[in-house]
Every structure is written in C-alpha cells, then in structure tokens.
Amino acid sequence: MEEVADSAHVTCHMTSDQPKSKMGRQACLLGLLALVITGQCTYSPEPDQRWMLPPGWVSLGRVDPEEELSLTFALKQQNLERLSELVQAVSDPSSPRYGKYLSLEDVAELVQPSPLTLSTVQKWLLAAGARNCHSVTTQDFLTCRLSVWQAELLLPGAEFHRYVGGPAETHVVRSPHPYQLPQALAPHVDFVGGLHRFPPTSSLRQRPEPQGGRTVGLHLGVTPSVLRQRYNLTAKDVGSGTTNNSQACAQFLEQYFHDSDLTEFMRLFGGEFAHQASVARVVGKQGRGRAGIEASLDVEYLMSAGANISTWVYSSPGRHEAQEPFLQWLLLLSNESTLPHVHTVSYGDDEDSLSSIYIQRVNTEFMKAAARGLTLLFASGDTGAGCWSVSGRHKFRPSFPASSPYVTTVGGTSFRNPFLITNEVVDYISGGGFSNVFPQPSYQEEAVAQFLKSSSHLPPSSYFNASGRAYPDVAALSDGYWVVSNKVPIPWVSGTSASTPVFGGILSLINEHRILNGRPPLGFLNPRLYQQRGAGLFDVTRGCHESCLNEEVEGQGFCSGPGWDPVTGWGTPNFPALLKTLLNP
C-alpha cells in the first residue's frame, strides 16, 4: 500500500495488494463499499489527542479480531450560536427569558444534525457492517456495534488492545494509535468515542489525622452535623417530600455504593434531620463488588446536604469495555426528557491531554444541559494550580470539565482550626486557575479583572492564561470527612470530590423553595452568581493552593483574597443568606 500525503492530517490510500485470507477478502469488500460512498482520502479528527497510558494501567495485548466493540460517533450539530444565545437568555436574571428553559425536544429540533449528515454517516456505517446502531433523542450521537476487524478497517490507523487498571482492576479496550476517517466525513463527524480516553480515576485521599491538642467538645472530622452547623442549616432545612425536586451524582470506573453503607452512615450521622432511606433511582450498572470510597462519599453527602430530596445515581454507565463512561453519561442526558435538576460530578482530566474537538463537543453538551435548566457542578480537582513542563518551562495545568464556561465548578476549603467549627481557609489541594482553551465568559470578566488588579501574590504571568475561563466559581469544605464504605466508618477523607456534592445538595434545597414558590429551578447558576457578586456566600480570604514546586513561585499557585479568586471562587455557602439571594426574583 502506498500512502500519499494530501494535507497535514489527510492521507490518500492506493491499494494494490490482494488480501489472501477469507477475513481479508471480507475486509477488502467492506472497505470498497465504504470507499464507494466516501472516497479514498482520510483525515485525522483528533490530531492533537495525546495518547499516554495512565499510571496503573497495563496492556494485555491485541483484542481478538472477531470480538465485538461498541463505538460512539459524535455527529456534527447545527445552530450552536443560537444555542449559546438561548443559554444566555434563560440563565441571565436580567433577561425576559430568564428561567424559561427549553425541553429536550426543543433542544433536539435546534441542534440535530442535518439530513445530509445523518444519511452520509448511516450509509458509511452500513457499508462497513455496523449493526445495532442506536441514536439519542437529539440524534447527534450514534452508538454502533462492530467486530474489531471491522472497526480497524473503518478507522484506518486504529489498533485495539485490552488494558486493565484502576482500583477495581477494570478492563477497557482502547487504541494506542490515532485513527482516521474518510475525508468526505469531515463535515459530518466530530470524533469517535471509545478509542483513546481512559476512565478517570479518583483523586480522593485519606489524609493523616491533624496533630495537636484536643479538648472535650471539639469535633473529630467533618460529618453532616458539622457541615449543617458551619453552613447554618437547621433541622427544618430539608426537602418537603411534596415536589418533583431531585438531584443526582455520577460515578465512573467501577465505583459503586452500597445501600447498607448509606443506612449505616445515616444511623451514625443522620439522626438530627429528616432524610431519605435509599437512592430513588440507579441509572446504569450497579455492581455487586466492594463499594468505592468515592461513590460512598458522593451519595452520603449529596443525600445529607440535600436531605430528604429524591436522589439518582448514574453508576458506571459505560457498559461495554470500548465505551467511555463519561461520554455515556452525556448520552444519557441527551436521551431523557425528565432529569434531576442538580447533577454533581467529581471527574476531571488535564485540559492538555484531550483533543480540542472533544473538549469543544463536550462543552456543547454542557450548553445543551444549561438550555434545559440543569445545574451541573464539577469538582475543581485536587492538584491546586497543576503543573506541567513545556519546552523545559513550567506552566500551570488547568483541568477539564472544571474549566468549561457552562458548568459551576466547586473548589475546596479547610477549617482554620481542624478541630473547631471556625472560619474557613484554602485547602491547599483546591483546583483552580485559567483555561488555555476557553476564553473568559462575559459573566466573570469584571470579577476576574478585579482579582488580577488587587492580588498581591500573583504568580508570573507566563504561568497562566489571564484571558481564559477562570475557575472555581464557589467552594465548600473538602478536608477531613467521615465516610462509611463497606460497612466501615473511614475518617479524614479529603478532596473536592467531597465539597462538590455538599454544594450540590444545598442548591437542591434552594430549588425546593423555588419550586414551592412557583419558580423554575436555578438552572445554569454562573451568570446570576457573578451578577450578585457572591452574595449569600462566606468569603474565604486566607490561604494559597499548591502548584509547580520550583524556586520561582516557591511552590504556591494563586492565593485567596476578598471577593472572587481562582482558589475558592466566591466562597462557601451560608444557607439562609444564599436562599434569600437565590429565591428572590
């Protein structure tokens, strides 16, 4: 086979070898059918996708050619500028359209691919032997089953291997090599999911117990009662049980919760407030293996902060080894007309590890959710400002989806005295910084400009993109939690994976009041949050987070200060004040 370069990422194939095996003849026949539709030139949809085997994963070798894969094709959408305008209109309190959210069917009518895109992609997949293809309501994702040899023929360059890794020894199928698509598909396909990205791992950590003298009456770790005391929640601040209000958390990488752990957790720590005894709905596969601390934490603190509110759990929705669990969660959001109002997700990747087309498309999925009035909260990450080296020079390393302008990102704090319910300071692991991909949204320009002008501890300007989307937006305690997992109470669990469900549960309580008062749920919070300049939040003004450990910045990234900052956002919730701020028109 001779290859002729057509452009930077386009290749034309001229085939002369006659395949000798039966499988080879089948492949050739199907390939010719595909080429009849699309022509022979190919291009790389994700030329900037860096492939690197994550720590803790091991290759088990090539996958059997006859084994089946499940791949997801992200089809080009329409009217994205109009979608962006509608998100702004329904999320901005000063807009006459504020709170008038779109239905799933409205969103589908707006963004669904063109008839030409649908027919072109369907013909191409049919020619390649794809079967059992399933779309979503918005018609912009197509998931199909193919054998490995069909998939490798369909996606030149791909070579499927099986890998094992993660805390649950999860098996996934991925390609260590970039794939290509026929050039004629460039106007029709964004990317193919299930080839490169590995499931995320939890960054939760169990810190050593703080040292120091103790006296009677001091708390020994963060529990629901400690949170409720700090954030001024009374026993009456629970769901009414009379509305259609609901909340959800999403879990990936074989992370499971156990009902028995939730029961034990509420027995130990939930006696002071009304709460629901069990999760209302599990979406996806709920395994029978050992419970994960991450999953246990998410469920226990979402259901104790957002107490007595119906709770869903999206549990490892990637059912097939070749599926990406996070991508499958996005597909579920595009296929359900009725969803919980608040979703909390403790997932993140380094922004630079993902292809630009993938990041932009996922960001569009968040826009779709915002247009429908969903509140998406993401953990800001547990590596401070992050750090990576470019041409021998250090830079901060932003995290995605934390850096998306269409989600509300939650940072982390600690008590100033670890054994007292005091004012909060920065938790040094709290993720934060500036995106290298997304420009700064208009809703935060004033707040960010004020921080950059007033901060006395700014790192060198070469370390960050001051014009990028800045995060986090808010924060909550992230240090020293008690969690029940596998029937064992575990102390000192820490990470923004803890602060995110806590803030989400508190927003669910505010939604409860809004619904009871005949108002729509909060939806995408950021435009209102920044307009109100953090009203209803405790401002965190002490502490810095970690970053590149070198002499130039002495190991610290950004520092908190009055108002918004890229460490704790606008601050942590003061429930009565936040309720008043977000309930009033």
Side-chain angles (χ1 to χ4, degrees):
M1 176 180 288
E2 181 184 354
E3 293 191 352
V4 182
D6 187 50
S7 71
H9 305 298
V10 178
T11 306
C12 289
H13 302 280
M14 292 181 289
T15 307
S16 58
D17 294 337
Q18 182 69 24
K20 298 177 175 59
S21 68
K22 180 179 177 183
M23 184 178 297
R25 288 194 297 274
Q26 288 176 323
C28 184
L29 176 61
L30 290 169
L32 288 171
L33 283 168
L35 293 176
V36 166
I37 297 170
T38 59
Q40 287 180 289
C41 291
T42 61
Y43 78 105
S44 176
E46 302 183 79
D48 54 345
Q49 174 70 54
R50 291 193 305 114
W51 196 94
M52 192 167 59
L53 190 63
W57 290 84
V58 177
S59 173
L60 301 179
R62 291 285 297 269
V63 180
D64 187 298
E66 296 293 342
E67 187 168 321
E68 273 204 338
L69 298 176
S70 177
L71 297 178
T72 297
F73 301 84
L75 308 189
K76 294 279 186 186
Q77 300 153 312
Q78 300 189 97
N79 303 314
L80 297 186
E81 284 189 16
R82 178 60 181 152
L83 178 65
S84 176
E85 292 168 0
L86 286 168
V87 170
Q88 176 65 23
V90 300
S91 308
D92 182 352
S94 64
S95 163
R97 286 208 59 168
Y98 179 64
K100 297 176 181 177
Y101 303 124
L102 279 66
S103 68
L104 176 59
E105 290 68 29
D106 293 334
V107 172
E109 189 174 342
L110 189 67
V111 306
Q112 66 187 17
S114 69
L116 178 61
T117 289
L118 293 171
S119 63
T120 301
V121 174
Q122 287 166 0
K123 287 177 183 176
W124 172 65
L125 290 170
L126 183 65
R131 61 186 189 84
N132 292 340
C133 290
H134 299 284
S135 188
V136 292
T137 302
T138 47
Q139 296 190 59
D140 46 5
F141 286 107
L142 198 59
T143 300
C144 298
R145 299 184 78 84
L146 303 95
S147 66
V148 167
W149 67 268
Q150 286 173 327
E152 290 182 352
L153 178 73
L154 187 72
L155 309 169
E159 185 180 278
F160 291 95
H161 295 239
R162 179 168 281 103
Y163 298 87
V164 62
E169 294 291 294
T170 304
H171 286 242
V172 300
V173 172
R174 296 290 185 268
S175 170
H177 306 298
Y179 67 98
Q180 296 201 319
L181 292 175
Q183 178 62 34
L185 288 179
H188 306 298
V189 177
D190 281 332
F191 66 87
V192 182
L195 277 89
H196 298 313
R197 288 164 286 274
F198 281 73
T201 55
S202 170
S203 56
L204 271 183
R205 58 186 87 178
Q206 201 176 353
R207 293 186 190 165
E209 182 177 339
Q211 300 301 306
R214 301 184 193 171
T215 58
V216 175
L218 302 189
H219 77 84
L220 300 178
V222 175
T223 63
S225 64
V226 169
L227 290 167
R228 295 178 83 83
Q229 185 175 339
R230 168 58 187 157
Y231 297 141
N232 292 320
L233 290 154
T234 70
K236 295 180 179 179
D237 292 320
V238 297
S240 66
T242 63
T243 70
N244 65 349
N245 192 17
S246 56
Q247 57 190 0
C249 57
Q251 299 160 356
F252 312 112
L253 194 67
E254 305 281 337
Q255 278 278 335
Y256 304 120
F257 77 95
H258 288 171
D259 285 323
S260 58
D261 289 338
L262 177 62
T263 300
E264 178 65 6
F265 178 83
M266 291 300 187
R267 186 187 72 79
L268 290 172
F269 304 119
E272 299 174 3
F273 54 89
H275 57 265
Q276 301 216 344
S278 61
V279 167
R281 181 177 173 189
V282 176
V283 183
K285 182 181 69 174
Q286 173 62 6
R288 297 181 180 179
R290 287 177 58 80
I293 294 180
E294 172 89 60
S296 304
L297 172 79
D298 287 346
V299 172
E300 289 163 8
Y301 281 92
L302 182 60
M303 293 185 69
S304 55
N308 210 37
I309 289 173
S310 177
T311 302
W312 296 19
V313 174
Y314 290 86
S315 182
S316 295
R319 296 179 180 85
H320 192 281
E321 288 179 349
Q323 289 179 336
E324 298 176 33
F326 180 69
L327 190 58
Q328 295 305 307
W329 174 71
L330 292 176
L331 265 65
L332 290 170
L333 297 189
S334 281
N335 212 29
E336 289 269 353
S337 293
T338 304
L339 289 168
H341 302 308
V342 173
H343 296 254
T344 75
V345 188
S346 303
Y347 154 85
D349 271 319
D350 295 324
E351 217 180 44
D352 60 271
S353 72
L354 302 167
S355 72
S356 56
I357 188 67
Y358 175 85
I359 282 186
Q360 295 292 350
R361 175 56 186 265
V362 171
N363 193 54
T364 299
E365 297 309 304
F366 297 151
M367 286 172 58
K368 287 160 59 179
R372 296 173 62 191
L374 304 183
T375 303
L376 304 185
L377 292 102
F378 276 83
S380 70
D382 297 340
T383 56
C387 186
W388 66 316
S389 183
V390 183
S391 303
R393 301 189 64 182
H394 288 300
K395 285 181 174 288
F396 293 159
R397 194 172 202 179
S399 176
F400 179 80
S403 64
S404 166
Y406 292 102
V407 305
T408 299
T409 304
V410 186
T413 61
S414 304
F415 282 124
R416 190 170 172 184
N417 181 319
F419 297 111
L420 287 172
I421 300 176
T422 61
N423 291 340
E424 293 159 74
V425 297
V426 170
D427 185 348
Y428 70 92
I429 56 95
S430 180
F434 294 78
S435 173
N436 291 322
V437 174
F438 299 107
Q440 208 161 94
S442 58
Y443 62 72
Q444 67 170 183
E445 286 175 346
E446 185 181 340
V448 174
Q450 178 62 31
F451 167 78
L452 293 173
K453 185 174 80 171
S454 62
S455 176
S456 58
H457 295 93
L458 276 182
S461 59
S462 61
Y463 275 68
F464 64 99
N465 172 28
S467 62
R469 149 64 161 150
Y471 69 95
D473 305 297
V474 293
L477 283 161
S478 58
D479 184 22
Y481 278 66
W482 279 92
V483 179
V484 174
S485 190
N486 299 298
K487 300 182 180 179
V488 177
I490 302 170
W492 305 112
V493 175
S494 301
T496 53
S497 295
S499 55
T500 305
V502 168
F503 207 100
I506 288 173
L507 291 183
S508 290
L509 292 179
I510 294 171
N511 271 339
E512 184 82 2
H513 286 268
R514 289 182 61 84
I515 293 167
L516 288 170
N517 280 270
R519 298 197 175 109
L522 289 166
F524 175 44
L525 186 62
N526 291 10
R528 181 165 187 163
L529 183 71
Y530 283 81
Q531 277 187 29
Q532 296 177 333
R533 302 191 59 78
L537 298 166
F538 291 119
D539 196 4
V540 179
T541 60
R542 292 173 60 106
C544 309
H545 64 185
E546 63 184 353
S547 71
C548 300
L549 297 176
N550 61 63
E551 295 177 3
E552 191 175 0
V553 291
E554 298 178 347
Q556 74 182 27
F558 298 100
C559 297
S560 63
W564 179 91
D565 57 70
V567 192
T568 59
W570 287 107
T572 63
N574 177 7
F575 180 73
L578 189 60
L579 174 63
K580 183 178 179 181
T581 298
L582 296 179
L583 185 59
N584 293 331

